[in-house]
Amino acid sequence: MTTANQSLKPITTKINENGHLEIGGCDVVSLAEKYGTPLYVFDEETIRTIACQYKKAFNNYPKVSMLYASKAFMTKAIVRILDEEGFGFDMVSGGEIYTAYKAGGNMKKSLFNGNNKSYDELQMAVEFGVGLVSVDNFLELALLNDVAKSNNKVVDILLRVTPGIECHTHEYIQTGHLDSKFGFDLTQVDEAVELIIDEYKNLNLIGLHAHIGSQIFETSIYYDEVNVLLKEMGRLKEKYGLNLTHINLGGGLGIKYTDKDCPPSIDEIAEKIISSIKENAPKYNVESPEIHIEPGRSIIGTSGVTLYTVGSSKQVPKGKKYVAVDGGMADNPRPSLYQAVYTAEVANRPEDEKTETVTIAGRFCESGDILIKDVKMPVLEEGDILCFYDTGAYGYSMSSNYNRVLKPAAVLVNNSQSDIIIDREDYEHLVSLDRIPARLEK
Ligand SMILES: *Cc1c(COP(=O)(O)O)cnc(C)c1O
């Protein structure tokens, strides 16, 4: 079965009777008029469908927990939706923990992860009842044990390890290779385990955690990852008599940003994971573990689009034609950060013939602020609304106020209804944290 991460567009996308793009039953051009641009639009039906496809894909495996990787895009409304779908949250900062907590996310099902958690963040995680901490390094073992002790608690932990598996994705989004800033090298695991057994009495080690990278297309990587983790479990069982019961496999499943991308389905990676457990757990003499899956991009990426309004354009004599939109690298840094490629359509006339090759530029003061290079489009005019697909993940969550441009709003669409889930910033908000020292006052 194909799953929604394999779709280029939100699953409700169509062309309506006005000849406009429609998503979630809402006319995209009307959304741009009503809420202004740039605008992030999230399709609730796509989010829920993918969440269900994840649950269904692992239906046959008895012990699975789904955690949403909050860093891809998190707001209180997104927490509500994924909580309703039975997901916990993979969180990497005090801010993400606070958001999940405030929105009523299930803290017990959730996990705190990250390579440099502060004492205060660990304290917050323990205080808010976060169920599990993935400990990344030796300093954190000591800090978390202190926090747990001063709260009179024993905290369940995983050890984050680097399994030494490389995937063919951009260098900046690989994380599981040996020379990585994340987690314990496998040669350091024994030292960590001995410290936990001998000294850190307020930590309860229940399993191992790995995350190989992001925008992964190779299913065999998940087979190999499970194999490495089970092997390590078997080794620790034999050496220390430790019965680890959990493995967290991270996220990473890819999505389709352009027609050239062919990501695997959720079912295909589930099948690899489950077959690897069936084949390899007996080999290493361990029980089938409870597994955690932490998708981020593959849940929210396809579910979100960004709308821009076309402004100025420039034909370089004997060179490119640039068409500028009212957003760019501050609301979507991925093209300038990782040369990410996107697909866009003209929302007010998606069926017009694409007759011109243009480069779509952002409005920010950087030559690198280019959203799409050399793409075929209808002849674009000022006021056209461009719909960029697959901007739901790592767009808003990586956005900035570069050039003191206001952050856009985000709306959630479903069944012809649209609701704001993040307000557009205003100028007062923008200056609200600025302070002028008394000696500089006029
Ligand atoms: C980023 C991250 C994820 C999510 O990755 P996606 O590619 O967005 O699915 C999951 N787990 C961990 C530990 C991560 O760092």
Side-chain angles (χ1 to χ4, degrees), residues 54 69 71-72 90 92 111 113 160 175 182 209-211 213-215 248-253 294-298 393-394:
Y54 263 105
K71 71 177 191 275
D90 161 39
V92 294
L111 170 139
N113 167 48
R160 170 82 182 256
T175 50
F182 295 104
H209 181 199
H211 169 73
S214 202
Q215 188 60 359
N248 182 321
L249 302 169
L253 176 60
E294 295 174 328
R297 184 193 310 275
S298 55
Y394 305 106

